[in-house]
């Protein structure tokens, strides 16, 4: 597969923080992907919440299956645009490594706990996982990934944290937040694949859980279009198969829309290299109509699923678990594993330890330390 001139070419990578000789048979980004798959943070994604808590059912998405879906969608788009599929896959598989247990509830709680100590951002935490927290190599911390994979992992970053990162790594992955340039096209693409994936699978999981009805989702214009189209072809179809076929068509339409709109943007901007693409403003995009419809779907899911009273109830308990764990470990560092207890910045050590937990480990720890079981069987 020939890469476009604006793709990230592994031979032109800005390299690793700890230089290493090339691998005999794998490109640099394939190597990054392999390191991510073998990391312990990656294995823990299987027991981390996406929207529904892990114990609520075996059929719901977890952070792991979500990441695999992002990788699949991202690779399909990358292939069509002659971008680097391996880099997209590496970024997709790593993009949620920094997520706390219990999804956004856990993250919000940890951010509040850390308010006076630099806060907590999950994108930055994903970078911390691959840069610092994985301990697999004799001579350095982290996975020592390439600049391009790390750049894609750091999807958002506050200005204050960007300045801190820039000080530690001048001209590094945080620079773009200070000079307002874009990450690589592969990173932009993975970000959009993330949105396409969760919009679609949250409809599926929402209806499966009974918190959303098919009739309710069929009021949302983007879904309504494919729901009507499916019923036009299969008037007798109902239930699961109607839901799946509508989602399948919606996914395909979004993928083709991104491919078409991005091709048009690339044809206008004509970047001659990956760096020219970074400087050209956001180029991987939906067309205007799809952008509006995707945003409307996001808003619908936010109001009707993420803020559903039943989800809010578990969310509130999950926040309590995280808050109480934070307070206990902070007051009693002997309860932490030794290498976390030994770190000089206690609050950051506690945040790193909690962020790395799976849902079920966090609940077990909380029960061990408080005698209370707040969630799950
Ligand atoms: Mg994601």
């Amino acid at each position: 597969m020939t890469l476009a001139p604006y793709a990230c070419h592994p031979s032109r990578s800005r390299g690793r923080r700890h230089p290493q000789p090339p691998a005999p048979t794998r490109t640099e980004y394939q190597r990054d992907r392999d390191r991510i798959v073998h990391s312990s943070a990656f294995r823990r994604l299987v027991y981390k919440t996406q929207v529904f808590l892990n114990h609520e059912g075996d059929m719901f998405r977890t952070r792991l299956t979500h990441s695999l879906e992002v990788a699949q969608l991202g690779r399909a788009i990358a292939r069509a645009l002659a971008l680097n599929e391996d880099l997209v896959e590496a970024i997709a598989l790593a993009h949620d490594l920094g997520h706390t247990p219990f999804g956004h509830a856990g993250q919000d709680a940890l951010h509040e706990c850390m308010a006076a100590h630099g806060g907590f951002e999950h994108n930055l935490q994903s970078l911390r996982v691959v840069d610092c927290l994985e301990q697999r190599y004799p001579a350095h911390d982290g996975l020592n990934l390439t600049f391009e994979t790390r750049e894609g992992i750091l999807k958002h970053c506050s200005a204050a944290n960007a300045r801190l990162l820039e000080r530690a790594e001048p001209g590094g992955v945080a620079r773009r937040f200070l000079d307002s340039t874009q990450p690589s096209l592969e990173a932009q693409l993975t970000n959009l694949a993330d949105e396409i994936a969760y919009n679609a699978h949250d409809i599926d999981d929402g209806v499966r859980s009974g918190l959303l009805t098919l009739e309710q989702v069929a009021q949302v214009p983007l879904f309504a279009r494919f729901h009507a189209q499916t019923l036009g072809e299969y008037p007798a179809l109902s239930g699961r198969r109607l839901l799946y076929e509508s989602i399948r068509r919606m996914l395909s339409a979004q993928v083709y829309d991104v491919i078409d709109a991005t091709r048009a943007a690339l044809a206008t901007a004509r970047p001659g290299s990956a760096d020219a693409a970074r400087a050209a403003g956001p180029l991987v995009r939906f067309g205007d109509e799809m952008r509006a419809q995707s945003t409307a779907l996001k808003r619908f899911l936010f109001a009707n699923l993420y803020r559903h009273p039943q989800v809010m109830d578990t969310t509130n308990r999950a926040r309590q678990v995280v808050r109480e764990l934070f307070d206990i470990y902070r007051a009693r560092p002997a309860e932490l594993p030794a290498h976390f207890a030994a770190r000089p910045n206690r609050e950051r050590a506690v945040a790193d330890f909690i962020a790395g937990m799976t849902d079920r480990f966090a609940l077990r720890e909380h029960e061990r330390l408080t005698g209370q079981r707040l969630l799950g069987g």
Side-chain angles (χ1 to χ4, degrees), residues 50 63 66-67 70 95-96 99 155 194-195 198:
Q50 182 68 21
R63 290 265 167 222
H66 162 70
S67 301
V70 176
H95 85 284
D96 273 351
H99 263 286
K155 191 164 65 174
D194 187 21
E195 177 180 336
Y198 65 65

Side-chain angles (χ1 to χ4, degrees), residues 277-345:
R278 286 182 175 95
L283 293 173
V284 181
R285 59 175 70 155
F286 281 130
D288 292 342
E289 194 193 343
M290 188 63 88
R291 169 44 49 212
Q293 291 197 340
S294 177
T295 303
L297 172 55
K298 262 178 161 170
R299 250 186 260 125
F300 166 85
L301 287 169
F302 194 84
N304 296 283
L305 183 61
Y306 313 144
R307 287 287 174 268
H308 189 287
Q310 209 171 305
V311 173
M312 289 306 287
D313 178 56
T314 40
T315 294
N316 289 333
R317 291 162 189 256
R319 291 169 79 107
Q320 187 184 340
V321 170
V322 168
R323 271 198 311 269
E324 293 181 354
L325 282 177
F326 186 89
D327 290 342
I328 292 169
Y329 290 130
R330 193 176 173 215
R332 290 152 51 193
E335 301 290 353
L336 290 167
H339 66 285
F340 284 99
R343 284 172 41 182
N345 183 335

Side-chain angles (χ1 to χ4, degrees), residues 25-39:
T25 59
R26 293 174 299 162
T27 70
E28 295 304 318
Y29 306 137
Q30 289 168 349
R31 212 173 178 192
D32 281 358
R33 181 222 28 228
D34 297 349
R35 287 176 183 198
I36 292 158
V37 168
H38 287 271
S39 70

